[in-house]
Amino acid sequence: MAGSTRREVLSVTVLIRSNDGRVAVDEHTRTELPGGGVALADVVISAEEGVPSWERLVDRDRELASAHPGALVTVIACGPDLALVRLGSSAPGMARRTNTAALWPVYASILHALTVWEVAPR
């Protein structure tokens, strides 16, 4: 995965190689909040302090969906290994990482690449 920073928005390229030799390249923009992101970022990451209630997380997810209507992936980190994740217009769900060495922004970009790859023509 490679990226370049531009005005608090990161341009990310993810390369995925399947076991059968297919290759997919996903390019997207990612922003972490708080900060000045762009409203049309493909991937949005936000961190919540403490352990917020499920209702608070869902409210925050709605706020992010409204402010970033172009986001395919939204991750609201609730700690090092737990987050609320929304893919596109789907209902949000909880995600637990077993490898906390991979930071949430990296995880979110990989989710974006896999989501795009699943719908891309083969």
Side-chain angles (χ1 to χ4, degrees):
M1 181 160 44
S4 65
T5 304
R6 188 182 58 196
R7 294 187 308 172
E8 297 184 10
V9 175
L10 189 66
S11 175
V12 179
T13 302
V14 179
L15 177 69
I16 299 175
R17 295 174 199 245
S18 68
N19 290 337
D20 64 3
R22 290 182 294 148
V23 176
V25 178
D26 173 50
E27 295 180 353
H28 59 271
T29 57
R30 181 178 78 205
T31 188
E32 293 182 57
L33 304 175
V38 294
L40 298 178
D42 299 310
V43 176
V44 177
I45 299 102
S46 178
E48 293 291 315
E49 295 293 325
V51 182
S53 68
W54 175 256
E55 292 79 17
R56 172 64 191 123
L57 289 173
V58 171
D59 288 345
R60 180 69 173 132
D61 179 67
R62 283 190 198 110
E63 292 169 9
L64 292 178
S66 176
H68 300 274
L72 179 60
V73 176
T74 301
V75 173
I76 303 172
C78 311
D81 66 344
L82 189 64
L84 182 78
V85 176
R86 180 178 43 83
L87 302 177
S89 60
S90 301
M94 293 303 286
R96 184 174 301 277
R97 295 179 309 164
T98 56
N99 178 5
T100 56
L103 301 175
W104 282 116
V106 172
Y107 181 84
S109 285
I110 292 169
L111 279 177
H112 185 276
L114 291 173
T115 302
V116 171
W117 196 30
E118 285 300 313
V119 297
R122 298 177 188 191

mmCIF file of all heavy atoms in Angstrom, residues 18-66:
data_model
loop_
_atom_site.group_PDB
_atom_site.id
_atom_site.type_symbol
_atom_site.label_atom_id
_atom_site.label_comp_id
_atom_site.label_asym_id
_atom_site.label_seq_id
_atom_site.Cartn_x
_atom_site.Cartn_y
_atom_site.Cartn_z
ATOM 1 N N SER A 18 -4.623 -12.092 -5.960
ATOM 2 C CA SER A 18 -5.342 -13.275 -5.506
ATOM 3 C C SER A 18 -4.483 -14.514 -5.746
ATOM 4 O O SER A 18 -3.478 -14.477 -6.467
ATOM 5 C CB SER A 18 -6.672 -13.405 -6.251
ATOM 6 O OG SER A 18 -6.436 -13.711 -7.611
ATOM 7 N N ASN A 19 -4.899 -15.621 -5.154
ATOM 8 C CA ASN A 19 -4.165 -16.876 -5.323
ATOM 9 C C ASN A 19 -4.188 -17.369 -6.760
ATOM 10 O O ASN A 19 -3.310 -18.119 -7.165
ATOM 11 C CB ASN A 19 -4.733 -17.946 -4.399
ATOM 12 C CG ASN A 19 -4.417 -17.656 -2.943
ATOM 13 O OD1 ASN A 19 -3.467 -16.950 -2.640
ATOM 14 N ND2 ASN A 19 -5.217 -18.196 -2.048
ATOM 15 N N ASP A 20 -5.209 -16.963 -7.529
ATOM 16 C CA ASP A 20 -5.293 -17.421 -8.920
ATOM 17 C C ASP A 20 -4.600 -16.460 -9.892
ATOM 18 O O ASP A 20 -4.747 -16.584 -11.100
ATOM 19 C CB ASP A 20 -6.739 -17.659 -9.331
ATOM 20 C CG ASP A 20 -7.581 -16.400 -9.310
ATOM 21 O OD1 ASP A 20 -7.040 -15.321 -9.032
ATOM 22 O OD2 ASP A 20 -8.791 -16.499 -9.577
ATOM 23 N N GLY A 21 -3.842 -15.500 -9.375
ATOM 24 C CA GLY A 21 -3.058 -14.618 -10.216
ATOM 25 C C GLY A 21 -3.715 -13.312 -10.608
ATOM 26 O O GLY A 21 -3.084 -12.468 -11.233
ATOM 27 N N ARG A 22 -4.986 -13.129 -10.267
ATOM 28 C CA ARG A 22 -5.645 -11.857 -10.587
ATOM 29 C C ARG A 22 -5.053 -10.745 -9.733
ATOM 30 O O ARG A 22 -4.667 -10.964 -8.596
ATOM 31 C CB ARG A 22 -7.144 -11.948 -10.348
ATOM 32 C CG ARG A 22 -7.862 -12.830 -11.337
ATOM 33 C CD ARG A 22 -9.346 -12.859 -11.095
ATOM 34 N NE ARG A 22 -9.590 -13.508 -9.797
ATOM 35 C CZ ARG A 22 -10.588 -13.218 -8.993
ATOM 36 N NH1 ARG A 22 -11.470 -12.305 -9.327
ATOM 37 N NH2 ARG A 22 -10.749 -13.841 -7.864
ATOM 38 N N VAL A 23 -4.996 -9.562 -10.318
ATOM 39 C CA VAL A 23 -4.472 -8.393 -9.613
ATOM 40 C C VAL A 23 -5.521 -7.284 -9.675
ATOM 41 O O VAL A 23 -6.117 -7.044 -10.721
ATOM 42 C CB VAL A 23 -3.156 -7.898 -10.255
ATOM 43 C CG1 VAL A 23 -2.679 -6.625 -9.576
ATOM 44 C CG2 VAL A 23 -2.089 -8.978 -10.177
ATOM 45 N N ALA A 24 -5.740 -6.642 -8.554
ATOM 46 C CA ALA A 24 -6.658 -5.499 -8.505
ATOM 47 C C ALA A 24 -5.921 -4.327 -7.885
ATOM 48 O O ALA A 24 -5.178 -4.488 -6.919
ATOM 49 C CB ALA A 24 -7.901 -5.837 -7.691
ATOM 50 N N VAL A 25 -6.110 -3.153 -8.462
ATOM 51 C CA VAL A 25 -5.523 -1.922 -7.930
ATOM 52 C C VAL A 25 -6.668 -1.016 -7.520
ATOM 53 O O VAL A 25 -7.567 -0.744 -8.315
ATOM 54 C CB VAL A 25 -4.639 -1.213 -8.980
ATOM 55 C CG1 VAL A 25 -4.093 0.094 -8.415
ATOM 56 C CG2 VAL A 25 -3.509 -2.129 -9.427
ATOM 57 N N ASP A 26 -6.650 -0.581 -6.268
ATOM 58 C CA ASP A 26 -7.693 0.308 -5.762
ATOM 59 C C ASP A 26 -7.046 1.618 -5.348
ATOM 60 O O ASP A 26 -6.112 1.625 -4.552
ATOM 61 C CB ASP A 26 -8.401 -0.334 -4.564
ATOM 62 C CG ASP A 26 -9.377 0.614 -3.906
ATOM 63 O OD1 ASP A 26 -10.204 1.202 -4.617
ATOM 64 O OD2 ASP A 26 -9.298 0.786 -2.669
ATOM 65 N N GLU A 27 -7.529 2.714 -5.898
ATOM 66 C CA GLU A 27 -7.056 4.040 -5.515
ATOM 67 C C GLU A 27 -8.211 4.793 -4.876
ATOM 68 O O GLU A 27 -9.315 4.806 -5.429
ATOM 69 C CB GLU A 27 -6.518 4.791 -6.732
ATOM 70 C CG GLU A 27 -5.295 4.132 -7.321
ATOM 71 C CD GLU A 27 -4.745 4.863 -8.519
ATOM 72 O OE1 GLU A 27 -5.383 5.819 -8.994
ATOM 73 O OE2 GLU A 27 -3.664 4.467 -8.985
ATOM 74 N N HIS A 28 -7.979 5.377 -3.719
ATOM 75 C CA HIS A 28 -9.041 6.117 -3.034
ATOM 76 C C HIS A 28 -8.436 7.206 -2.172
ATOM 77 O O HIS A 28 -7.226 7.262 -1.985
ATOM 78 C CB HIS A 28 -9.912 5.172 -2.197
ATOM 79 C CG HIS A 28 -9.160 4.424 -1.144
ATOM 80 N ND1 HIS A 28 -8.570 3.208 -1.378
ATOM 81 C CD2 HIS A 28 -8.879 4.726 0.143
ATOM 82 C CE1 HIS A 28 -7.974 2.780 -0.271
ATOM 83 N NE2 HIS A 28 -8.152 3.682 0.664
ATOM 84 N N THR A 29 -9.293 8.072 -1.659
ATOM 85 C CA THR A 29 -8.868 9.112 -0.730
ATOM 86 C C THR A 29 -9.337 8.745 0.660
ATOM 87 O O THR A 29 -10.420 8.187 0.841
ATOM 88 C CB THR A 29 -9.427 10.491 -1.118
ATOM 89 O OG1 THR A 29 -10.848 10.407 -1.177
ATOM 90 C CG2 THR A 29 -8.878 10.943 -2.448
ATOM 91 N N ARG A 30 -8.503 9.040 1.649
ATOM 92 C CA ARG A 30 -8.812 8.687 3.031
ATOM 93 C C ARG A 30 -8.542 9.894 3.905
ATOM 94 O O ARG A 30 -7.570 10.618 3.699
ATOM 95 C CB ARG A 30 -7.917 7.516 3.447
ATOM 96 C CG ARG A 30 -8.160 7.025 4.857
ATOM 97 C CD ARG A 30 -7.272 5.838 5.161
ATOM 98 N NE ARG A 30 -5.910 6.268 5.449
ATOM 99 C CZ ARG A 30 -4.836 5.489 5.286
ATOM 100 N NH1 ARG A 30 -4.948 4.270 4.808
ATOM 101 N NH2 ARG A 30 -3.642 5.946 5.605
ATOM 102 N N THR A 31 -9.406 10.120 4.874
ATOM 103 C CA THR A 31 -9.198 11.210 5.816
ATOM 104 C C THR A 31 -9.479 10.719 7.228
ATOM 105 O O THR A 31 -10.327 9.849 7.437
ATOM 106 C CB THR A 31 -10.081 12.434 5.477
ATOM 107 O OG1 THR A 31 -9.693 13.526 6.310
ATOM 108 C CG2 THR A 31 -11.549 12.157 5.659
ATOM 109 N N GLU A 32 -8.720 11.255 8.175
ATOM 110 C CA GLU A 32 -8.934 10.947 9.587
ATOM 111 C C GLU A 32 -9.485 12.191 10.267
ATOM 112 O O GLU A 32 -9.034 13.294 10.007
ATOM 113 C CB GLU A 32 -7.629 10.511 10.252
ATOM 114 C CG GLU A 32 -7.130 9.180 9.732
ATOM 115 C CD GLU A 32 -5.862 8.729 10.439
ATOM 116 O OE1 GLU A 32 -5.897 8.605 11.681
ATOM 117 O OE2 GLU A 32 -4.858 8.511 9.749
ATOM 118 N N LEU A 33 -10.459 11.998 11.117
ATOM 119 C CA LEU A 33 -11.088 13.097 11.842
ATOM 120 C C LEU A 33 -10.658 13.064 13.296
ATOM 121 O O LEU A 33 -10.354 11.994 13.811
ATOM 122 C CB LEU A 33 -12.615 12.960 11.744
ATOM 123 C CG LEU A 33 -13.166 12.906 10.320
ATOM 124 C CD1 LEU A 33 -14.655 12.651 10.357
ATOM 125 C CD2 LEU A 33 -12.841 14.173 9.556
ATOM 126 N N PRO A 34 -10.604 14.162 14.044
ATOM 127 C CA PRO A 34 -10.973 15.481 13.554
ATOM 128 C C PRO A 34 -9.871 16.018 12.657
ATOM 129 O O PRO A 34 -8.733 15.576 12.715
ATOM 130 C CB PRO A 34 -11.105 16.312 14.820
ATOM 131 C CG PRO A 34 -10.176 15.663 15.776
ATOM 132 C CD PRO A 34 -10.170 14.193 15.431
ATOM 133 N N GLY A 35 -10.232 16.928 11.871
ATOM 134 C CA GLY A 35 -9.303 17.517 10.929
ATOM 135 C C GLY A 35 -10.088 17.961 9.721
ATOM 136 O O GLY A 35 -11.260 17.638 9.565
ATOM 137 N N GLY A 36 -9.458 18.672 8.878
ATOM 138 C CA GLY A 36 -10.157 19.173 7.711
ATOM 139 C C GLY A 36 -10.133 18.184 6.580
ATOM 140 O O GLY A 36 -9.275 18.219 5.755
ATOM 141 N N GLY A 37 -11.010 17.265 6.523
ATOM 142 C CA GLY A 37 -11.078 16.337 5.407
ATOM 143 C C GLY A 37 -11.908 16.927 4.292
ATOM 144 O O GLY A 37 -12.330 18.068 4.344
ATOM 145 N N VAL A 38 -12.104 16.173 3.277
ATOM 146 C CA VAL A 38 -12.990 16.602 2.199
ATOM 147 C C VAL A 38 -14.303 15.850 2.353
ATOM 148 O O VAL A 38 -14.334 14.713 2.804
ATOM 149 C CB VAL A 38 -12.379 16.346 0.805
ATOM 150 C CG1 VAL A 38 -11.158 17.207 0.579
ATOM 151 C CG2 VAL A 38 -12.035 14.895 0.606
ATOM 152 N N ALA A 39 -15.368 16.484 1.968
ATOM 153 C CA ALA A 39 -16.689 15.863 2.116
ATOM 154 C C ALA A 39 -16.833 14.617 1.254
ATOM 155 O O ALA A 39 -17.632 13.750 1.560
ATOM 156 C CB ALA A 39 -17.785 16.864 1.766
ATOM 157 N N LEU A 40 -16.043 14.496 0.193
ATOM 158 C CA LEU A 40 -16.189 13.360 -0.712
ATOM 159 C C LEU A 40 -15.105 12.307 -0.540
ATOM 160 O O LEU A 40 -14.844 11.526 -1.446
ATOM 161 C CB LEU A 40 -16.220 13.852 -2.162
ATOM 162 C CG LEU A 40 -17.392 14.779 -2.486
ATOM 163 C CD1 LEU A 40 -17.302 15.260 -3.928
ATOM 164 C CD2 LEU A 40 -18.719 14.092 -2.235
ATOM 165 N N ALA A 41 -14.486 12.217 0.627
ATOM 166 C CA ALA A 41 -13.483 11.182 0.877
ATOM 167 C C ALA A 41 -14.130 9.806 0.753
ATOM 168 O O ALA A 41 -15.278 9.600 1.149
ATOM 169 C CB ALA A 41 -12.873 11.355 2.268
ATOM 170 N N ASP A 42 -13.386 8.859 0.191
ATOM 171 C CA ASP A 42 -13.881 7.491 0.040
ATOM 172 C C ASP A 42 -13.844 6.720 1.352
ATOM 173 O O ASP A 42 -14.636 5.821 1.576
ATOM 174 C CB ASP A 42 -13.027 6.727 -0.985
ATOM 175 C CG ASP A 42 -13.068 7.356 -2.358
ATOM 176 O OD1 ASP A 42 -14.176 7.625 -2.850
ATOM 177 O OD2 ASP A 42 -11.992 7.590 -2.934
ATOM 178 N N VAL A 43 -12.861 7.046 2.195
ATOM 179 C CA VAL A 43 -12.670 6.363 3.476
ATOM 180 C C VAL A 43 -12.549 7.422 4.560
ATOM 181 O O VAL A 43 -11.756 8.350 4.439
ATOM 182 C CB VAL A 43 -11.395 5.483 3.446
ATOM 183 C CG1 VAL A 43 -11.142 4.854 4.806
ATOM 184 C CG2 VAL A 43 -11.502 4.414 2.365
ATOM 185 N N VAL A 44 -13.346 7.275 5.618
ATOM 186 C CA VAL A 44 -13.347 8.228 6.729
ATOM 187 C C VAL A 44 -13.108 7.458 8.017
ATOM 188 O O VAL A 44 -13.786 6.456 8.276
ATOM 189 C CB VAL A 44 -14.694 8.988 6.814
ATOM 190 C CG1 VAL A 44 -14.708 9.925 8.009
ATOM 191 C CG2 VAL A 44 -14.955 9.756 5.530
ATOM 192 N N ILE A 45 -12.137 7.927 8.818
ATOM 193 C CA ILE A 45 -11.828 7.292 10.092
ATOM 194 C C ILE A 45 -11.996 8.313 11.200
ATOM 195 O O ILE A 45 -11.523 9.441 11.093
ATOM 196 C CB ILE A 45 -10.388 6.739 10.127
ATOM 197 C CG1 ILE A 45 -10.189 5.683 9.035
ATOM 198 C CG2 ILE A 45 -10.070 6.114 11.476
ATOM 199 C CD1 ILE A 45 -9.458 6.187 7.865
ATOM 200 N N SER A 46 -12.687 7.908 12.258
ATOM 201 C CA SER A 46 -12.888 8.770 13.414
ATOM 202 C C SER A 46 -12.613 7.947 14.663
ATOM 203 O O SER A 46 -12.863 6.743 14.688
ATOM 204 C CB SER A 46 -14.330 9.287 13.430
ATOM 205 O OG SER A 46 -14.550 10.088 14.565
ATOM 206 N N ALA A 47 -12.087 8.578 15.691
ATOM 207 C CA ALA A 47 -11.834 7.890 16.962
ATOM 208 C C ALA A 47 -12.740 8.477 18.030
ATOM 209 O O ALA A 47 -12.925 9.683 18.092
ATOM 210 C CB ALA A 47 -10.377 8.034 17.365
ATOM 211 N N GLU A 48 -13.317 7.614 18.846
ATOM 212 C CA GLU A 48 -14.159 8.038 19.957
ATOM 213 C C GLU A 48 -13.406 7.799 21.259
ATOM 214 O O GLU A 48 -12.768 6.760 21.436
ATOM 215 C CB GLU A 48 -15.472 7.254 19.979
ATOM 216 C CG GLU A 48 -16.374 7.548 18.799
ATOM 217 C CD GLU A 48 -16.957 8.949 18.841
ATOM 218 O OE1 GLU A 48 -17.415 9.371 19.910
ATOM 219 O OE2 GLU A 48 -16.942 9.612 17.794
ATOM 220 N N GLU A 49 -13.469 8.737 22.158
ATOM 221 C CA GLU A 49 -12.810 8.609 23.451
ATOM 222 C C GLU A 49 -13.623 7.698 24.365
ATOM 223 O O GLU A 49 -14.848 7.690 24.321
ATOM 224 C CB GLU A 49 -12.661 9.982 24.112
ATOM 225 C CG GLU A 49 -11.754 10.929 23.361
ATOM 226 C CD GLU A 49 -10.312 10.481 23.371
ATOM 227 O OE1 GLU A 49 -9.861 9.909 24.390
ATOM 228 O OE2 GLU A 49 -9.625 10.688 22.356
ATOM 229 N N GLY A 50 -12.936 6.948 25.211
ATOM 230 C CA GLY A 50 -13.614 6.087 26.166
ATOM 231 C C GLY A 50 -14.355 4.961 25.470
ATOM 232 O O GLY A 50 -13.995 4.534 24.389
ATOM 233 N N VAL A 51 -15.407 4.491 26.101
ATOM 234 C CA VAL A 51 -16.226 3.431 25.535
ATOM 235 C C VAL A 51 -17.641 3.981 25.351
ATOM 236 O O VAL A 51 -18.471 3.927 26.252
ATOM 237 C CB VAL A 51 -16.251 2.188 26.457
ATOM 238 C CG1 VAL A 51 -17.077 1.079 25.832
ATOM 239 C CG2 VAL A 51 -14.838 1.716 26.743
ATOM 240 N N PRO A 52 -17.918 4.541 24.176
ATOM 241 C CA PRO A 52 -19.238 5.125 23.956
ATOM 242 C C PRO A 52 -20.306 4.047 23.827
ATOM 243 O O PRO A 52 -20.027 2.903 23.503
ATOM 244 C CB PRO A 52 -19.065 5.881 22.634
ATOM 245 C CG PRO A 52 -17.902 5.245 21.968
ATOM 246 C CD PRO A 52 -17.034 4.684 23.043
ATOM 247 N N SER A 53 -21.538 4.441 24.095
ATOM 248 C CA SER A 53 -22.649 3.500 23.955
ATOM 249 C C SER A 53 -22.892 3.204 22.476
ATOM 250 O O SER A 53 -22.487 3.956 21.596
ATOM 251 C CB SER A 53 -23.917 4.098 24.576
ATOM 252 O OG SER A 53 -24.339 5.210 23.799
ATOM 253 N N TRP A 54 -23.578 2.089 22.216
ATOM 254 C CA TRP A 54 -23.926 1.720 20.840
ATOM 255 C C TRP A 54 -24.741 2.843 20.194
ATOM 256 O O TRP A 54 -24.510 3.206 19.048
ATOM 257 C CB TRP A 54 -24.699 0.416 20.826
ATOM 258 C CG TRP A 54 -25.189 0.025 19.472
ATOM 259 C CD1 TRP A 54 -26.464 0.117 18.999
ATOM 260 C CD2 TRP A 54 -24.409 -0.488 18.383
ATOM 261 N NE1 TRP A 54 -26.534 -0.318 17.702
ATOM 262 C CE2 TRP A 54 -25.287 -0.697 17.294
ATOM 263 C CE3 TRP A 54 -23.059 -0.784 18.223
ATOM 264 C CZ2 TRP A 54 -24.852 -1.191 16.070
ATOM 265 C CZ3 TRP A 54 -22.632 -1.290 17.002
ATOM 266 C CH2 TRP A 54 -23.523 -1.475 15.950
ATOM 267 N N GLU A 55 -25.689 3.426 20.939
ATOM 268 C CA GLU A 55 -26.519 4.498 20.401
ATOM 269 C C GLU A 55 -25.669 5.699 19.995
ATOM 270 O O GLU A 55 -25.891 6.305 18.956
ATOM 271 C CB GLU A 55 -27.591 4.929 21.413
ATOM 272 C CG GLU A 55 -28.660 3.896 21.680
ATOM 273 C CD GLU A 55 -28.209 2.802 22.643
ATOM 274 O OE1 GLU A 55 -27.193 2.985 23.356
ATOM 275 O OE2 GLU A 55 -28.862 1.744 22.664
ATOM 276 N N ARG A 56 -24.684 6.054 20.821
ATOM 277 C CA ARG A 56 -23.799 7.182 20.498
ATOM 278 C C ARG A 56 -22.984 6.881 19.238
ATOM 279 O O ARG A 56 -22.795 7.739 18.391
ATOM 280 C CB ARG A 56 -22.877 7.478 21.687
ATOM 281 C CG ARG A 56 -21.810 8.506 21.380
ATOM 282 C CD ARG A 56 -22.413 9.893 21.063
ATOM 283 N NE ARG A 56 -21.363 10.754 20.536
ATOM 284 C CZ ARG A 56 -21.403 11.361 19.352
ATOM 285 N NH1 ARG A 56 -22.458 11.225 18.576
ATOM 286 N NH2 ARG A 56 -20.420 12.105 18.946
ATOM 287 N N LEU A 57 -22.519 5.654 19.112
ATOM 288 C CA LEU A 57 -21.757 5.277 17.916
ATOM 289 C C LEU A 57 -22.620 5.342 16.665
ATOM 290 O O LEU A 57 -22.188 5.829 15.621
ATOM 291 C CB LEU A 57 -21.164 3.877 18.069
ATOM 292 C CG LEU A 57 -20.018 3.743 19.055
ATOM 293 C CD1 LEU A 57 -19.649 2.277 19.222
ATOM 294 C CD2 LEU A 57 -18.828 4.561 18.620
ATOM 295 N N VAL A 58 -23.859 4.870 16.770
ATOM 296 C CA VAL A 58 -24.761 4.907 15.616
ATOM 297 C C VAL A 58 -25.089 6.354 15.256
ATOM 298 O O VAL A 58 -25.125 6.708 14.071
ATOM 299 C CB VAL A 58 -26.037 4.079 15.889
ATOM 300 C CG1 VAL A 58 -27.072 4.281 14.797
ATOM 301 C CG2 VAL A 58 -25.677 2.593 16.007
ATOM 302 N N ASP A 59 -25.287 7.215 16.266
ATOM 303 C CA ASP A 59 -25.516 8.643 15.997
ATOM 304 C C ASP A 59 -24.302 9.255 15.293
ATOM 305 O O ASP A 59 -24.450 10.010 14.334
ATOM 306 C CB ASP A 59 -25.790 9.414 17.291
ATOM 307 C CG ASP A 59 -27.157 9.121 17.881
ATOM 308 O OD1 ASP A 59 -28.015 8.544 17.163
ATOM 309 O OD2 ASP A 59 -27.364 9.448 19.066
ATOM 310 N N ARG A 60 -23.109 8.924 15.759
ATOM 311 C CA ARG A 60 -21.885 9.449 15.144
ATOM 312 C C ARG A 60 -21.752 8.946 13.711
ATOM 313 O O ARG A 60 -21.359 9.689 12.813
ATOM 314 C CB ARG A 60 -20.669 9.025 15.983
ATOM 315 C CG ARG A 60 -19.349 9.510 15.433
ATOM 316 C CD ARG A 60 -19.222 11.021 15.578
ATOM 317 N NE ARG A 60 -17.875 11.423 15.185
ATOM 318 C CZ ARG A 60 -17.626 12.424 14.357
ATOM 319 N NH1 ARG A 60 -18.600 13.157 13.885
ATOM 320 N NH2 ARG A 60 -16.393 12.721 14.033
ATOM 321 N N ASP A 61 -22.121 7.697 13.475
ATOM 322 C CA ASP A 61 -22.082 7.136 12.128
ATOM 323 C C ASP A 61 -23.026 7.904 11.203
ATOM 324 O O ASP A 61 -22.667 8.215 10.069
ATOM 325 C CB ASP A 61 -22.456 5.653 12.151
ATOM 326 C CG ASP A 61 -22.438 5.061 10.766
ATOM 327 O OD1 ASP A 61 -21.346 4.961 10.161
ATOM 328 O OD2 ASP A 61 -23.530 4.710 10.260
ATOM 329 N N ARG A 62 -24.205 8.242 11.690
ATOM 330 C CA ARG A 62 -25.149 9.036 10.885
ATOM 331 C C ARG A 62 -24.563 10.406 10.554
ATOM 332 O O ARG A 62 -24.713 10.900 9.447
ATOM 333 C CB ARG A 62 -26.476 9.196 11.623
ATOM 334 C CG ARG A 62 -27.339 7.975 11.587
ATOM 335 C CD ARG A 62 -28.741 8.287 12.133
ATOM 336 N NE ARG A 62 -29.389 7.057 12.481
ATOM 337 C CZ ARG A 62 -29.662 6.653 13.721
ATOM 338 N NH1 ARG A 62 -29.380 7.437 14.750
ATOM 339 N NH2 ARG A 62 -30.241 5.507 13.947
ATOM 340 N N GLU A 63 -23.915 11.034 11.546
ATOM 341 C CA GLU A 63 -23.277 12.333 11.320
ATOM 342 C C GLU A 63 -22.220 12.237 10.221
ATOM 343 O O GLU A 63 -22.160 13.080 9.323
ATOM 344 C CB GLU A 63 -22.599 12.826 12.603
ATOM 345 C CG GLU A 63 -23.539 13.191 13.728
ATOM 346 C CD GLU A 63 -22.789 13.410 15.041
ATOM 347 O OE1 GLU A 63 -21.532 13.455 15.046
ATOM 348 O OE2 GLU A 63 -23.460 13.525 16.077
ATOM 349 N N LEU A 64 -21.391 11.192 10.287
ATOM 350 C CA LEU A 64 -20.341 11.018 9.287
ATOM 351 C C LEU A 64 -20.921 10.727 7.909
ATOM 352 O O LEU A 64 -20.432 11.231 6.900
ATOM 353 C CB LEU A 64 -19.381 9.896 9.700
ATOM 354 C CG LEU A 64 -18.517 10.183 10.918
ATOM 355 C CD1 LEU A 64 -17.659 8.967 11.248
ATOM 356 C CD2 LEU A 64 -17.652 11.408 10.703
ATOM 357 N N ALA A 65 -21.972 9.925 7.861
ATOM 358 C CA ALA A 65 -22.607 9.612 6.572
ATOM 359 C C ALA A 65 -23.173 10.876 5.936
ATOM 360 O O ALA A 65 -23.100 11.065 4.724
ATOM 361 C CB ALA A 65 -23.709 8.572 6.772
ATOM 362 N N SER A 66 -23.708 11.758 6.751
ATOM 363 C CA SER A 66 -24.263 13.012 6.247
ATOM 364 C C SER A 66 -23.162 13.960 5.775
ATOM 365 O O SER A 66 -23.280 14.601 4.732
ATOM 366 C CB SER A 66 -25.105 13.675 7.340
ATOM 367 O OG SER A 66 -25.576 14.916 6.913
#
